[in-house]
Amino acid sequence: MEALGLLNTATGNNLICVFALCFGLHMYTQVRLSKAVPAYMFFAPESEISVGFLEGQTLAFYREINQTGNVTTAFESTLAGEMQSFHCQGLFFQALLRYCRVECTASKRKNRQEKLVTAILKRDRIEHPSSAQLREIRRQVKILTAPGQHVIERFAPLFLIGRAPVFDYGDLRRILDRPNRRGKR
């Protein structure tokens, strides 16, 4: 995935990949917010895929691209029967949801906050902070580690390789606020 990220960066986030391998769709779970997205768009199967399907549809896919110049139309008319598509914006959205659900839980946030307070004190060479200094640093760290639009703005330039996100924190919040499948929030 790292090599794809480098290649996608070199193309200005214009790389399109077809993963013609069983369970290829699960590769998207390896993306990290702190790294460039591996492709602008990729197509892959969620489960097993037959060689017969690939033989029958891959050439048709590339012919359709050459004739129309439209990747999504080519995908829909050929590979969509057995594969799914993922766009970098969707990957970014999913990665941010995962980040908010995991890293922004109370216990994880508290742990990150304390590590950040320690790092700031060390960076600023404050060995014996006053109560006021600690209070101010903790206030800033609390804001920094809370989920919000600033999280999108922090990760988007690197992950999307300079492309602007097509959603905002309100869109994420609507998904995060939905009750999960077990009826919990």
Side-chain angles (χ1 to χ4, degrees):
M1 282 296 223
E2 196 168 319
L4 284 175
L6 293 171
L7 186 55
N8 193 32
T9 299
T11 67
N13 195 8
N14 286 300
L15 182 66
I16 297 174
C17 295
V18 177
F19 294 111
L21 63 146
C22 296
F23 306 99
L25 187 65
H26 299 281
M27 292 178 70
Y28 85 89
T29 60
Q30 297 178 20
V31 300
R32 298 292 171 255
L33 287 171
S34 58
K35 296 186 182 228
V37 66
Y40 173 74
M41 183 179 285
F42 75 87
F43 309 117
E46 185 173 16
S47 57
E48 289 184 24
I49 191 164
S50 72
V51 172
F53 174 82
L54 293 172
E55 288 174 344
Q57 296 302 310
T58 304
L59 182 58
F61 170 71
Y62 288 109
R63 280 189 178 139
E64 182 77 18
I65 290 173
N66 285 331
Q67 290 172 357
T68 67
N70 188 321
V71 173
T72 54
T73 299
F75 173 75
E76 290 300 325
S77 66
T78 58
L79 299 174
E82 295 287 329
M83 293 186 174
Q84 294 182 20
S85 65
F86 249 96
H87 189 275
C88 64
Q89 295 283 348
L91 284 173
F92 187 47
F93 192 84
Q94 291 298 322
L96 284 166
L97 283 174
R98 197 168 46 248
Y99 174 82
C100 289
R101 286 179 175 145
V102 174
E103 296 301 322
C104 295
T105 61
S107 61
K108 289 251 185 172
R109 262 181 75 199
K110 186 70 173 162
N111 196 14
R112 279 188 13 239
Q113 287 171 348
E114 287 307 311
K115 286 180 181 178
L116 279 171
V117 167
T118 301
I120 290 168
L121 291 172
K122 184 176 179 179
R123 179 198 69 197
D124 295 346
R125 296 183 180 149
I126 301 172
E127 292 183 28
H128 305 288
S130 67
S131 296
Q133 285 174 312
L134 276 176
R135 201 171 24 258
E136 178 57 21
I137 292 170
R138 284 199 168 99
R139 184 188 70 76
Q140 290 174 4
V141 164
K142 185 176 182 178
I143 292 168
L144 181 67
T145 58
Q149 184 64 32
H150 67 278
V151 174
I152 294 171
E153 292 166 5
R154 181 171 128 219
F155 289 116
L158 174 62
F159 189 88
L160 295 175
I161 311 169
R163 290 185 186 259
V166 295
F167 57 87
D168 62 19
Y169 186 70
D171 299 314
L172 278 172
R173 189 80 256 161
R174 280 187 282 287
I175 302 298
L176 291 167
D177 287 345
R178 288 182 188 168
N180 73 18
R181 292 184 187 127
R182 294 184 189 130
K184 299 178 189 173
R185 280 190 169 251

